[in-house]
Amino acid sequence: RKAGIAGLYGLEGAVNVQGEDVKKLDIVANDNFINTLKFTRKISVMVSEENPEPIVVDKALAGKYCVVFDPLDGSSNIDCNVSVGSIFGIYKNAADGPGSVGDVLRPGKDLVGAGYCTYGSATQMVLTTGNGVNVFTLDPAIGEFILTAADVKIPAKPKTIYSTNEGNWASFDAATQEFITQCKAKTPKPYSLRYVGSMVADVH
C-alpha cells in the first residue's frame, strides 16, 4: 500500500523466465515469499516465476512440502493501481526425506493445495485442499484471515462474461476466434467482456 511512496513503481530492469519485464514490486514480493516460506520449516523446494531455477531449502530447514508460485500476478498493472494478486500450488514430497526438483515436476492432480490471493479493496485468499473451495478475507485488525465464504461453487446459472486480450486476435486459432464471435453474437443478450490483465482479478 506504500508502493508509490516507497518508489516501488516501474521496472527493475530484468526479465523473468516467461520473458516478461520484471517490476520492482515483483522482486519485493518474490523475496517475501521465499524468505517467509523458507523459515516455516515446512517447505523443501520452491519454484517461482521470478527465478530461473528451483530453490532447494537447506536440509536443516526443509519440510515435506513443495510450493510453486507467481508472487505477484498482474504486475504490469501496478503503476495504474489495478488489483493484482498471487498464485500458488502445494505438492507433498513424493517420498520421505529431503525434497527434490522431481517433486514439483508433477501433474496438477497431485497437488494437495492450491489457490490465489487478491489485493484490492480487500485482501482475500481463495483456497482448495481438494475438497471444496473456501474464501478467506484478511482482517488487518488482528492480522488473520477469516473464513468469509465456504464451499464456493460456480452458480447453476452463471453470469455470461468472457475475458481475453483481443489485441491478440490475429494470433488466436480459428476455434478460439469462433467462440469469441459467438459470445458477442449470443441472443437475446451477448456476453459481457471484462479484461483486467491480472489472472486473479479476471478469474475472481
Side-chain angles (χ1 to χ4, degrees), residues 4 7 12 33 40 42 68 100 145-146 149 164 168:
E12 172 66 20
F33 258 79
T40 62
K42 304 291 186 183
V68 293
S100 68
F145 280 91
I146 307 300
T164 186
N168 294 322

Side-chain angles (χ1 to χ4, degrees), residues 93-179:
N93 294 359
D96 293 336
S100 68
V101 175
D103 287 312
V104 295
L105 297 177
R106 293 154 62 190
K109 65 182 179 62
D110 291 346
L111 288 163
V112 296
Y116 62 86
C117 295
T118 61
Y119 313 124
S121 56
T123 297
Q124 292 190 308
M125 177 171 63
V126 181
L127 175 68
T128 180
T129 55
N131 185 24
V133 177
N134 297 302
V135 180
F136 300 83
T137 303
L138 178 66
D139 183 345
I142 61 174
E144 297 285 349
F145 280 91
I146 307 300
L147 178 64
T148 49
D151 198 22
V152 176
K153 291 182 172 63
I154 296 175
K157 293 184 177 181
K159 294 181 179 179
T160 51
I161 300 169
Y162 76 101
S163 179
T164 186
N165 181 356
E166 291 204 40
N168 294 322
W169 178 268
S171 65
F172 293 163
D173 61 29
T176 302
Q177 290 182 349
E178 176 62 21
F179 171 75

Side-chain angles (χ1 to χ4, degrees), residues 3-16:
I5 297 171
L8 292 176
Y9 288 151
L11 299 174
E12 172 66 20
V15 176
N16 68 16

